[in-house]
């Protein structure tokens, strides 16, 4: 099968530049063209400054070369994949395709990032050869972070062309592929725009406030807390009329979309005033900096802003049936939205799983529409539709008594439940859990069997935090793997690997002055992580999302790491007034001492480790985590989240033959002289107003650990001594009211306190 070795993106706007950046993130050279060389070059400069970061490392920008369509189109000739991402105007796109056809090589694939124009219209005037290698690849913004990629193939598109792009997008770009029919808006935007328009129009109709609507269109249905008005602020309110108009033109007159696509003069007035959301002067919400960064919401009657109100609603999907003001709003919006989703089966896609996947990944819904219907009850949902006078798609009758999902099976158009296909090379822990009972389990963690002698240790706490129960089960799991299996993977399907220690487990004994209990928690973590490090079997941390504090210390003690590209690792304990105390200081220091990136001598590694920990640095990607030495050069990076567990399992099993635990770590540290140098560095920050007196106390404790305490360069420092120094530092800091205040503030606000 052909491979994509070089790519081109034509159109250097926000989407085009973002797509080019992510292709570069995959390590593939990409040509970025626009109407002028200057525009294309400026787009790359914007990528380097973008927040959130479009590039995983600044070095990835070197893989992007720029030019103009007029002068440099011939540079697409060696490219295997050419992505068109220009303005959504049919004739302009057709004209460009004719020019691309004259320059591309015979086997090059061309795709459009259009979200509104049918494929049949795009290639209506193209040659048969061009149509054979043409498809739609609809990315979602921002391309680096949004996992969904909708692919639309035409009747003449070759299977190998679709397979080549899909495989590259899956494995190299980390995308979850959803194959859509050539229908307006495809899946996610067609249903998503219907939901947003329905929610907004109904809010005006029923007199529901912005804050009330977002509270309802949020947690009860597994929708992100932005809700609907907050989401429109994020994507741009001025985009909404254009997308709706495009759908209205393209969809048949009897399509249910037309029933919600009503005029909204208030919104038109906002756009005219420049109130287009976060990119404009404000939107449905704004931050009033004159009032201390107060969040404000707009009144949908008067147009005046007021302090945004916190609205509490029942966080259950049953809100849809509640006979209350907000319950009636929920029912009016979500019944119609879910009814429309059912009508899309056989139209936008042939299977319910694709529609659910599109909404989970494209709009970050926790549950897709058919999963939501199952939570309501398919039969009950049918009754609700009938009462509301809404159309019921035929598939709803088939689901009435059986539901849409049964384990790994989903209802088909034929009325049977069939297994949901998984791409080769993917492994989901959810599938393991659906098919077998756990090996070991307590309230904080579970041990699962992955097969072939590999076990999976899964954290089950909120944000996968670590507590005494988690350590208890990890110790039992180590014993089990030694006796009965060959390797361990540490992983969960949750968004984050681990947010570290359960701060409440530290706060309670600190408040009570129960220092023995607090020290016992610290010592238990140290002993458990060292057991894992020196176990007789290989362990692999499969890391995605946050791996901070104790979560980062956990991965540092594993034999290897297989990290998702979006891995945000860091030893952040100083932000709550303590130190990494489960061996993290020593583990990171030993890596920097072995690094070839620094000059020789004891101080460069100590200074670098001090900088990273004292500033609570967190990696912005897995590649960045490698640069900070949270990952080793030999650790793996997986682009597709769905492939992470399979890759980690394969890595763990590949290490079994001939595996030997590492030798005991030892250090040569300068002691007092190094501590003095670190304290001088910290004082310079204090003089600049960048560090408080308590920051200085934390920095001094950290300096004591990294310098080796009461030692000197002629004596070796053992790992046990480093652990004792970590423990002593934490215990000293935990006795201060400033540290207790920092922990309390973090628990209350999820933000650090600088006191």
């Amino acid at each position: 099968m052909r491979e994509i070795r070089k790519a081109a993106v034509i159109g250097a706007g926000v989407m085009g530049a973002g797509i080019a950046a992510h292709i570069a993130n995959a390590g593939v050279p990409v040509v970025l063209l626009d109407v002028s060389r200057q525009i294309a070059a400026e787009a790359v400069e914007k990528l380097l400054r973008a927040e959130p970061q479009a590039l995983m490392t600044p070095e990835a920008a070197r893989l992007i070369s720029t030019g103009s369509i007029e002068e440099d189109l011939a540079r697409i000739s060696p490219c295997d994949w050419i992505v068109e991402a220009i303005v959504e105007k049919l004739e302009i796109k057709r004209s460009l395709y004719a020019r691309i056809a004259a320059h591309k090589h015979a086997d090059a694939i061309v795709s459009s990032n259009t979200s509104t124009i049918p494929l049949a219209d795009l290639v209506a005037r193209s040659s048969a050869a061009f149509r054979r290698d043409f498809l739609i690849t609809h990315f979602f913004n921002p391309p680096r972070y949004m996992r969904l990629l909708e692919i639309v193939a035409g009747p003449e598109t070759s299977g190998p062309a679709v397979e080549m792009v899909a495989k590259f997008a899956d494995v190299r770009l980390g995308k979850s592929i959803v194959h859509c029919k050539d229908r307006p808006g495809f899946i996610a935007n067609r249903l998503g725009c219907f939901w947003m328009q329905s929610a907004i129009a109904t809010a005006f109709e029923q007199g529901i406030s912005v804050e009330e609507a977002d509270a309802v269109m949020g947690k009860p249905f597994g929708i992100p807390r932005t809700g609907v008005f907050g989401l429109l602020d994020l994507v741009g309110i001025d985009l909404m009329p254009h997308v709706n108009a495009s759908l209205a033109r393209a969809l048949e007159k009897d399509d249910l979309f037309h029933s919600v696509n009503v005029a909204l003069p208030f919104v038109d007035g906002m756009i005219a005033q420049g109130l287009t959301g976060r990119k404009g002067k404000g939107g449905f919400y704004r931050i009033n900096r004159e009032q201390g960064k107060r969040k404000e919401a707009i009144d949908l009657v008067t147009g005046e802003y007021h302090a945004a109100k916190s609205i509490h609603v029942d966080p259950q999907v049953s809100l849809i049936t509640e006979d209350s003001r907000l319950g009636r709003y929920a029912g009016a919006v979500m019944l119609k939205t879910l009814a429309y989703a059912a009508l899309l089966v056989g139209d936008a896609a042939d299977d319910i799983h694709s529609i659910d996947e599109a909404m989970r990944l494209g709009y970050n819904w926790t549950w897709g529409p058919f999963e939501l219907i199952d939570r309501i009850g398919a039969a009950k949902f049918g009754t609700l539709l009938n009462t509301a006078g809404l159309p019921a798609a035929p598939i709803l009758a088939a689901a009435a008594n059986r539901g849409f999902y049964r384990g790994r099976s989903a209802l088909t158009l034929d009325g049977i439940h069939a297994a949901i296909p998984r791409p080769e090379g993917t492994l989901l822990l959810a599938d393991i859990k659906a098919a077998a009972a756990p090996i070991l389990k307590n309230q904080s963690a579970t041990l699962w069997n992955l097969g072939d002698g590999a076990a999976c240790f899964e954290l089950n706490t909120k944000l996968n935090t670590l507590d005494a129960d988690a350590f208890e089960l990890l110790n039992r799991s180590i014993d089990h793997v030694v006796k009965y299996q060959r390797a361990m993977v540490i992983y969960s399907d949750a968004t984050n690997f681990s947010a570290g220690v359960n701060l409440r487990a530290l706060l309670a004994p600190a408040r009570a002055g129960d220092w023995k209990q607090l020290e016992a928690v610290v010592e238990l973590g140290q002993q458990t992580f060292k057991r894992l490090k020196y176990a007789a079997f290989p362990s692999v941390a499969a890391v995605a999302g946050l791996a901070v504090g104790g979560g980062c210390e956990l991965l540092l003690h594993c034999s290897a790491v297989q990290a998702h590209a979006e891995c945000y690792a860091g030893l952040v304990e100083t932000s709550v007034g303590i130190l990494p105390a489960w061996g993290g200081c020593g583990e990171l220091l030993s890596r920097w001492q072995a690094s070839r990136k620094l000059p020789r001598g004891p101080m460069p590694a100590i200074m670098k480790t001090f900088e990273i920990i004292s500033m609570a640095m967190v990696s912005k990607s897995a590649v960045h985590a490698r640069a900070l030495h949270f990952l080793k050069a030999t650790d793996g990076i997986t682009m597709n989240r769905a492939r992470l567990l399979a890759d980690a399992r394969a890595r763990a099993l590949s290490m079994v033959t001939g595996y030997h635990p590492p030798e005991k770590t030892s250090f040569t540290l300068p002691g007092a002289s190094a501590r003095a140098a670190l304290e001088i560095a910290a004082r310079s920050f204090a003089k600049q107003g960048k560090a408080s007196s308590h920051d200085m106390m934390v920095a001094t404790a950290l300096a004591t650990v990294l310098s080796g305490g009461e030692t000197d360069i002629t004596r070796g420092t053992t790992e046990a001594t480093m652990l004792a120094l970590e423990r002593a530092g934490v215990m000293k800091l935990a006795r201060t009211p400033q540290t207790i205040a920092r922990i309390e503030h973090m628990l209350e606000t999820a933000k650090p306190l600088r006191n």
Side-chain angles (χ1 to χ4, degrees):
M1 181 176 155
R2 308 195 312 265
E3 292 185 357
I4 294 172
R5 296 177 297 273
K6 186 172 184 178
V9 177
I10 303 177
V14 172
M15 280 301 298
I19 294 167
H22 199 48
I23 293 172
N25 287 336
V28 174
V30 56
V31 178
L32 178 62
L33 305 179
D34 207 288
V35 293
S36 76
R37 290 173 176 172
Q38 181 180 352
I39 290 174
E42 287 174 351
V44 176
E45 291 300 316
K46 289 178 183 177
L47 289 174
L48 288 164
R49 301 190 303 269
E51 288 293 339
Q53 292 186 344
L55 295 160
M56 290 180 176
T57 64
E59 290 74 21
R62 297 172 188 167
L63 289 170
I64 306 174
S65 58
T66 60
S68 77
I69 298 170
E70 289 298 323
E71 301 168 278
D72 303 300
L73 193 59
R75 289 172 55 194
I76 70 172
S77 58
C79 297
D80 304 300
W81 181 25
I82 301 155
V83 182
E84 170 269 301
I86 64 171
V87 64
E88 291 286 88
K89 293 186 178 179
L90 180 58
E91 289 306 318
I92 296 176
K93 288 180 185 287
R94 284 174 171 174
S95 175
L96 177 62
Y97 298 158
R99 299 177 64 189
I100 289 173
H103 290 287
K104 80 179 191 77
H105 70 70
D107 294 323
I109 296 166
V110 180
S111 71
S112 174
N113 185 57
T114 184
S115 60
T116 59
I117 304 174
L119 183 147
D121 293 345
L122 292 172
V123 295
R125 298 176 188 170
S126 299
S127 68
F130 190 87
R131 294 196 299 270
R132 180 198 65 199
D133 290 324
F134 185 87
L135 59 154
I136 288 172
T137 50
H138 180 214
F139 288 82
F140 282 69
N141 194 36
R144 170 181 165 182
Y145 299 97
M146 297 299 289
R147 290 170 57 192
L148 177 62
L149 179 66
E150 293 180 321
I151 289 184
V152 180
E156 298 173 72
T157 309
S158 73
V162 175
E163 185 181 356
M164 177 175 156
V165 170
K167 182 178 180 181
F168 179 83
D170 172 353
V171 178
R172 301 292 298 276
L173 300 183
K175 299 302 173 189
S176 291
I177 309 301
V178 171
H179 294 277
C180 310
K181 293 193 170 186
D182 190 19
R183 295 284 290 141
F186 315 129
I187 298 175
N189 278 350
R190 184 170 172 192
L191 181 56
C193 290
F194 182 99
W195 163 68
M196 289 191 291
Q197 180 67 17
S198 175
I200 294 166
T202 305
F204 279 103
E205 179 186 323
Q206 295 187 0
I208 302 296
S209 72
V210 165
E211 303 100 303
E212 288 173 327
D214 283 350
V216 172
M217 294 297 121
K219 197 169 184 179
F221 302 101
I223 293 169
R225 61 184 180 181
T226 52
V228 62
F229 286 104
L231 178 60
L232 271 167
D233 275 358
L234 181 63
V235 300
I237 299 169
D238 55 333
L239 184 64
M240 176 181 160
H242 298 291
V243 176
N244 287 350
S246 175
L247 286 170
R249 285 193 301 270
L251 290 169
E252 293 80 4
K253 292 182 179 180
D254 61 349
D255 193 276
L256 194 61
F257 175 77
H258 298 292
S259 70
V260 300
N261 188 35
V262 297
L264 297 172
F266 185 94
V267 176
D268 294 337
M270 288 179 66
I271 295 169
Q273 296 175 60
L275 297 174
T276 55
R278 296 189 188 181
K279 67 182 180 181
K281 296 187 296 183
F284 295 108
Y285 296 96
R286 73 177 184 185
I287 300 299
N288 188 333
R289 302 189 185 280
E290 295 179 0
Q291 295 289 331
K293 295 185 178 180
R294 183 178 76 171
K295 183 178 181 180
E296 298 181 336
I298 200 167
D299 187 299
L300 296 179
V301 176
T302 67
E304 299 294 323
Y305 283 96
H306 57 263
K309 299 172 184 176
S310 178
I311 306 296
H312 175 75
V313 296
D314 184 357
Q316 305 296 324
V317 73
S318 57
L319 179 65
I320 201 170
T321 61
E322 188 178 294
D323 186 19
S324 66
R325 182 166 166 273
L326 297 185
R328 287 188 289 275
Y329 174 69
V333 175
M334 292 307 294
L335 282 177
K336 188 172 281 191
T337 298
L338 299 179
Y340 194 57
L343 292 169
L344 298 186
V345 183
D347 181 22
D350 282 335
D351 61 289
I352 65 168
H353 178 68
S354 290
I355 296 172
D356 277 350
E357 186 84 339
M359 293 307 292
R360 282 195 302 267
L361 298 179
Y363 280 77
N364 289 322
W365 287 18
T366 302
W367 309 292
F370 298 98
E371 291 170 313
L372 278 170
I373 294 173
D374 274 353
R375 294 178 75 85
I376 296 166
K380 183 177 182 179
F381 179 74
T383 301
L384 291 171
L385 285 190
N386 185 56
T387 302
L390 291 168
I395 198 168
L396 289 171
N401 298 315
R402 295 176 292 164
F404 283 102
Y405 289 96
R406 288 181 179 174
R408 277 194 56 187
S409 299
L411 190 67
T412 69
L413 281 169
D414 297 328
I416 61 171
H417 283 87
I420 300 168
R422 302 282 192 229
E424 184 180 351
T426 61
L427 177 64
L428 301 185
L429 189 56
D431 291 345
I432 300 290
K433 293 160 77 168
I439 301 169
L440 301 170
K441 182 177 177 63
N442 68 15
Q443 64 180 1
S444 294
T446 312
L447 187 70
W448 301 95
N449 186 4
L450 297 180
D452 291 333
C456 179
F457 179 81
E458 175 199 27
L459 289 165
N460 304 132
T461 52
K462 183 178 181 180
L463 292 176
N464 285 350
T465 53
L466 294 151
D467 57 19
D469 285 328
F471 287 129
E472 185 270 338
L473 197 84
L474 182 52
N475 274 295
R476 287 171 56 200
S477 298
I478 291 169
D479 293 337
H480 175 86
V481 175
V482 167
K483 290 181 180 179
Y484 304 113
Q485 297 192 277
R486 302 188 295 156
M488 179 189 286
V489 173
I490 300 176
Y491 170 86
S492 85
D493 282 335
T495 302
N496 296 306
F497 178 73
S498 174
V501 65
N502 181 343
L503 287 174
R504 296 187 189 281
L506 296 183
L507 184 60
R511 277 175 170 167
D514 190 345
W515 308 118
K516 285 186 177 180
Q517 182 186 345
L518 181 58
E519 190 163 11
V521 172
V522 176
E523 197 161 6
L524 175 61
Q526 290 182 339
Q527 292 172 348
T528 304
F529 284 174
K530 294 307 174 185
R531 278 201 74 201
L532 179 66
K533 177 180 178 179
Y534 295 115
F537 57 83
S539 57
V540 174
V543 181
L546 286 176
V548 294
C552 185
E553 290 178 289
L554 175 55
L555 74 86
L556 287 170
H557 284 85
C558 288
S559 312
V561 176
Q562 187 70 34
H564 181 231
E566 301 301 339
C567 160
Y568 315 122
L571 296 171
V572 299
E573 287 88 346
T574 57
S575 63
V576 289
I578 57 174
L579 305 179
W582 290 335
C585 294
E587 291 299 324
L588 187 62
L589 176 58
S590 68
R591 293 186 179 198
W592 276 104
Q593 286 183 326
S595 174
R596 296 179 180 177
K597 297 180 179 180
L598 297 176
R600 290 189 174 187
M603 284 308 297
I606 293 172
M607 290 293 290
K608 189 66 178 179
T609 307
F610 180 79
E611 176 191 8
I612 291 170
I613 297 176
S614 64
M615 296 180 67
M617 289 186 183
V618 176
S619 67
K620 298 182 183 297
S621 67
V623 178
H624 188 212
R626 186 178 281 162
L628 294 173
H629 287 346
F630 294 129
L631 300 187
K632 294 177 285 192
T634 53
D635 288 332
I637 296 176
T638 297
M639 292 293 283
N640 192 325
R641 180 70 168 78
R643 296 182 175 275
L644 180 60
L645 179 57
D647 288 351
R649 176 182 177 275
R651 176 172 286 266
L653 292 173
S654 73
M655 298 171 67
V656 169
T657 302
Y659 180 77
H660 297 286
E663 294 183 2
K664 293 285 184 179
T665 304
S666 61
F667 305 86
T668 302
L669 300 171
S673 61
R675 182 167 65 252
L678 296 176
E679 289 174 355
I680 290 170
R683 277 197 293 273
S684 71
F685 276 91
K687 288 178 181 178
Q688 297 172 49
K690 296 179 180 179
S692 67
S693 59
H694 194 58
D695 289 331
M696 284 298 300
M697 185 176 182
V698 175
T700 299
L702 178 60
T704 301
V705 175
L706 296 179
S707 62
E710 298 304 320
T711 187
D712 60 58
I713 202 71
T714 64
R715 291 186 287 165
T717 302
T718 66
E719 192 170 53
T721 298
M722 292 292 283
L723 293 175
L725 289 168
E726 287 182 352
R727 209 160 51 241
V730 166
M731 296 307 298
K732 181 179 180 180
L733 291 167
R735 284 176 160 85
T736 66
Q738 293 92 336
T739 285
I740 291 175
R742 287 189 179 192
I743 294 173
E744 290 173 338
H745 189 268
M746 180 63 75
L747 286 169
E748 290 170 7
T749 68
K751 295 178 181 178
L753 172 67
R754 287 299 178 196
N755 56 353

